[in-house]
Amino acid sequence: MRTVAVLGGGIGGLAASYYLCKSPQVTKVIILESSSRFGGWLWSTRRSDGAVFEHGPRGIRPAGAVGCNTLNMVDDLGLAGEILPVTYSHVASKNRYLYVNKQLHRMPSGISGLLRIVPPFSRPLLMNVALEMLVKKGKEEDETIYSFVSRRLGKELADIAVDSLCRGVFAGDCRKLSVRSCFPVLYNAEQHRGSLTLGMLLGSGPTPVVPPGPLSQRSIKESWAQWSLSRGMESLPESITEFLQQSGRVQLHREAAVKQISPSASGWMIHLEDGVISADHIISALPAKALSSALPSSCQPLIQQLQDISAVTVAVVNLEYEGSILPVMGFGHLVPSSEDRGLLGVIYDSIPFPQHDRPNGQTTRVTVMMGGAWFQEVFGVLEVTEEHLLARATEAVRCHLGVTAVPSWNRVSLQRDCIPQYYQGHFRRVGQ
């Protein structure tokens, strides 16, 4: 029987511990978290008047094996009654916007959106899709997302739509990010079918299958696009933490930064500030650079590989306004780097999840995302003030959405090194 130490108490470390807990081969799990709380980037503010604000992810997609697996876990944790689903027919799923040339443009959707010219695009997107099937398969083992999409779907789509998408998903630069690592479905579609269109229609190779539980089955039946939880996304790590505490097989340590790990005769020694912990196995859910600094010098090739994985910093500014202030209804809008390098996008939180609004009196919650791969370029390498970030965010809401009112509440969060960047060739690093 085994003792397993899990390094890092974010959602990855907690989820790993949850599954380890269910294994008959594991007698004890030790979680070591450097901060004062578990949950990592899943972080919610619950105000006393009932309003909820997310400082990290605000929704989870139910699709695919990973989505199904997550819903099975949520069901097992007893959180099914707290689910807030957003269906594909919801206005937040149908309406997504781009801010281009100082104007909001609704992204094309449905057959009619593909057949006609929809600004900011200069021709019907169906033309891009049709011509894509005639493009030869690339010969490179990997390429940037920008290069891949430019080659297959045209420069305009890459410059506007894909540039914005990568800023929204990865807070990253599509001219550096790897298509193979970031969008394996697209890469595999070209490799197996020679075309994205054919890959989407016919499938592009085997995918993992997870048996759907009751909640996952419900998500398919009701056509969920995404979901959240009534008390915010932080309810998920809180529930996992409670499950682990009640299992009797898990030791949870906060403020237990790992200084060094070293092999021992029976497994591993984990050195902390105030002592040493031994374990048969280690699972690391630490950021790449944090793990690299804890490894023994004998792991030098691995240390260098980990140090070469970059991560970007994102400023998250939550704003609440009195009344209904949005000129459009939808999930939010993204901003291409050609329009504003520092401003990634604005999420209209009150549209997909009105249940998180203050119950008494109408309000509108929005979140402004800034920085990412452009953080240092735009905000400098020195400490940026919350006042500066707040001013930048409120100015964006004023310019993009025409909101002249002053927000009644705000919270500025600086999420340092929060999203790893899988640059071109990342698959080789992982393979090594």
Side-chain angles (χ1 to χ4, degrees):
M1 304 302 268
R2 301 290 184 175
T3 296
V4 181
V6 176
L7 314 185
I11 188 62
L14 291 175
S17 302
Y18 165 87
Y19 291 112
L20 286 168
C21 230
K22 293 176 173 288
S23 169
Q25 297 174 295
V26 176
T27 48
K28 184 163 74 171
V29 179
I30 304 168
I31 303 179
L32 302 170
E33 167 56 38
S34 64
S35 76
S36 60
R37 56 175 287 277
F38 294 108
W41 305 117
L42 294 188
W43 177 25
S44 313
T45 287
R46 300 168 183 132
R47 237 174 33 198
S48 59
D49 62 2
V52 177
F53 298 85
E54 301 289 7
H55 311 304
R58 62 217 52 241
I60 295 178
R61 295 185 181 279
V66 173
C68 177
N69 210 41
T70 305
L71 282 175
N72 290 350
M73 176 196 284
V74 166
D75 222 353
D76 186 46
L77 292 168
L79 287 171
E82 295 186 31
I83 286 272
L84 303 177
V86 179
T87 64
Y88 279 105
S89 61
H90 193 284
V91 67
S93 302
K94 293 193 293 186
N95 292 355
R96 289 164 187 263
Y97 294 86
L98 294 173
Y99 185 75
V100 180
N101 296 326
K102 303 196 181 323
Q103 275 186 287
L104 283 179
H105 300 275
R106 182 171 173 265
M107 285 286 286
S109 63
I111 296 297
S112 64
L114 292 174
L115 293 174
R116 58 194 174 86
I117 296 174
V118 179
F121 304 106
S122 62
R123 67 181 185 179
L125 294 187
L126 189 63
M127 287 182 64
N128 300 70
V129 174
L131 293 170
E132 188 273 332
M133 288 191 277
L134 305 176
V135 176
K136 290 181 180 178
K137 186 167 76 171
K139 296 179 181 178
E140 301 296 322
E141 283 189 303
D142 193 9
E143 64 185 305
T144 68
I145 298 169
Y146 181 83
S147 166
F148 181 89
V149 174
S150 295
R151 181 169 57 78
R152 298 212 64 88
L153 290 165
K155 186 174 183 296
E156 185 178 62
L157 263 182
D159 282 333
I160 299 173
V162 173
D163 178 283
S164 302
L165 175 67
C166 289
R167 282 157 64 84
V169 176
F170 306 104
D173 186 347
C174 65
R175 291 159 182 80
K176 295 180 180 178
L177 293 170
S178 155
V179 70
R180 182 167 177 168
S181 296
C182 295
F183 292 116
V185 170
L186 301 184
Y187 174 82
N188 290 330
E190 184 185 52
Q191 292 300 307
H192 291 105
R193 300 292 182 184
S195 159
L196 305 188
T197 310
L198 293 176
M200 296 298 125
L201 291 172
L202 304 174
S204 51
T207 54
V209 177
V210 173
L215 196 57
S216 185
Q217 290 174 20
R218 184 186 148 200
S219 77
I220 296 165
K221 183 181 177 182
E222 297 177 5
S223 296
W224 296 0
Q226 61 170 312
W227 56 269
S228 183
L229 295 164
S230 58
R231 299 181 67 248
M233 287 308 309
E234 195 170 352
S235 294
L236 180 55
E238 287 172 344
S239 294
I240 300 174
T241 302
E242 186 179 348
F243 171 87
L244 297 175
Q245 287 170 331
Q246 292 177 354
S247 72
R249 299 168 67 187
V250 182
Q251 294 178 6
L252 295 108
H253 299 271
R254 293 178 179 84
E255 296 181 331
V258 175
K259 297 298 179 185
Q260 189 79 35
I261 59 177
S262 55
S264 67
S266 59
W268 293 89
M269 304 292 285
I270 303 152
H271 302 265
L272 310 175
E273 287 241 344
D274 56 356
V276 178
I277 288 174
S278 60
D280 298 298
H281 301 283
I282 289 175
I283 290 178
S284 174
L286 296 175
K289 284 189 169 60
L291 176 60
S292 74
S293 66
L295 288 172
S297 56
S298 58
C299 296
Q300 186 48 50
L302 175 58
I303 290 171
Q304 189 56 55
Q305 295 281 13
L306 291 168
Q307 287 177 346
D308 288 342
I309 298 175
S310 300
V312 296
T313 295
V314 178
V316 179
V317 182
N318 302 98
L319 301 170
E320 181 184 51
Y321 292 86
E322 296 300 320
S324 176
I325 53 100
L326 294 171
V328 294
M329 297 284 280
F331 184 77
H333 69 263
L334 294 172
V335 184
S337 58
S338 57
E339 189 77 26
D340 185 332
R341 293 170 80 77
L343 202 293
L344 304 175
V346 182
I347 301 167
Y348 315 155
D349 298 297
S350 291
I351 306 299
F353 302 114
Q355 303 92 331
H356 288 162
D357 288 346
R358 188 181 73 204
N360 300 320
Q362 186 173 29
T363 60
T364 303
R365 294 171 303 109
V366 301
T367 303
V368 182
M369 307 283 195
M370 298 182 291
W374 298 265
F375 190 89
Q376 290 188 346
E377 175 192 326
V378 174
F379 298 107
V381 293
L382 301 176
E383 200 68 31
V384 62
T385 65
E386 288 191 3
E387 290 78 13
H388 178 62
L389 293 171
L390 176 61
R392 186 82 164 74
T394 52
E395 177 65 8
V397 173
R398 186 187 70 79
C399 291
H400 296 193
L401 299 171
V403 177
T404 55
V406 176
S408 55
W409 186 91
N410 70 79
R411 174 68 60 84
V412 178
S413 311
L414 194 57
Q415 313 289 35
R416 291 200 176 276
D417 299 329
C418 62
I419 305 179
Q421 302 291 288
Y422 302 152
Y423 291 148
Q424 184 178 359
H426 181 77
F427 79 99
R428 286 192 207 92
R429 184 174 292 124
V430 173
Q432 290 171 350

